[in-house]
Amino acid sequence: MFALVLFFVFTGAAFGGELTCNATHGATCHGALGQPLYLLLSGITRHEFVLKRKKTSNESEEGIFRFKKGKISFYSKHSSLQQRWSFCADNGTLVINPVKMSDAGEYRVQLTHKVTGASVANHLVKLVIKAENNTDLLQHCLAGISPVFVSVWLAEIIVLVSLLVGGMCRSRHKPVNSQDAVDI
């Protein structure tokens, strides 16, 4: 039985590293904007297949490329992707370099038997692309936080720091006892 293996390996995207994802049915693969993404499609080259992308406007799909007789052919509408997308039939790896936000979406790998042309399997892969820029990530994270919450949180931090510093100052300066005083 044909199987695509899912194993998500996060290899340092936060530090500008590359991402590798073994894509399978129902897989969600993550990519970092501007970085290479390697989608491992294990065992896929035993079959012919078409990679299709779901349109966001409706439920229809459009073909991106076809793998047939050991060669990859991009559909004319997506021929510009050849500059960034490549497929290595030797190990079944789809490389997207560099990843763009427009690459995000749902894809379907439609497998057919090489000889009979019968449908073998359909596998869905979802690509999620995240901004590499820390400012973009911070804006995304803070988008749902209320300014009132941030103000209260900052006030609490200021009060806690004041108490901590005040307590440290008092513990360093012991009151002078009359017995310890030296007459001059």
Side-chain angles (χ1 to χ4, degrees):
M1 180 179 152
F2 173 78
L4 294 174
V5 181
L6 170 63
F7 182 71
F8 174 69
V9 181
F10 188 74
T11 57
F15 304 104
E18 300 169 345
L19 291 176
T20 303
C21 179
N22 286 348
T24 67
H25 179 70
T28 299
C29 296
H30 298 266
L33 183 64
Q35 297 296 318
L37 175 63
Y38 299 90
L39 298 173
L40 303 176
L41 305 168
S42 302
I44 199 167
T45 56
R46 295 183 306 196
H47 304 282
E48 293 178 347
F49 70 90
V50 176
L51 178 70
K52 296 182 176 184
R53 181 179 179 164
K54 284 190 173 184
K55 293 183 179 179
T56 55
S57 58
N58 55 30
E59 290 298 313
S60 67
E61 297 176 334
E62 57 186 356
I64 304 292
F65 67 82
R66 169 182 297 265
F67 179 75
K68 189 173 186 175
K69 296 181 183 175
K71 293 186 180 183
I72 190 168
S73 306
F74 280 83
Y75 291 96
S76 59
K77 184 176 181 181
H78 297 286
S79 61
S80 63
L81 292 178
Q82 286 179 302
Q83 298 170 0
R84 298 183 306 107
W85 291 43
S86 61
F87 182 73
C88 179
D90 294 338
N91 60 11
T93 303
L94 173 63
V95 181
I96 305 174
N97 186 17
V99 170
K100 292 185 176 183
M101 289 303 264
S102 59
D103 296 328
E106 290 186 25
Y107 294 84
R108 183 164 60 102
V109 181
Q110 184 179 17
L111 299 165
T112 55
H113 192 273
K114 283 183 179 181
V115 178
T116 64
S119 179
V120 175
N122 286 301
H123 298 282
L124 297 176
V125 178
K126 182 177 182 179
L127 289 184
V128 177
I129 309 303
K130 296 190 178 182
E132 184 180 6
N133 185 340
N134 290 335
T135 305
D136 292 343
L137 291 174
L138 181 61
Q139 288 174 351
H140 176 72
C141 292
L142 294 178
I145 297 177
S146 147
V148 174
F149 172 79
V150 173
S151 300
V152 170
W153 182 69
L154 287 174
E156 289 175 354
I157 290 175
I158 291 169
V159 169
L160 289 173
V161 168
S162 319
L163 291 172
L164 181 64
V165 170
M168 288 173 51
C169 290
R170 286 192 176 169
S171 66
R172 286 187 181 174
H173 300 292
K174 294 181 182 177
V176 179
N177 293 336
S178 60
Q179 296 170 358
D180 295 336
V182 177
D183 291 329
I184 298 184

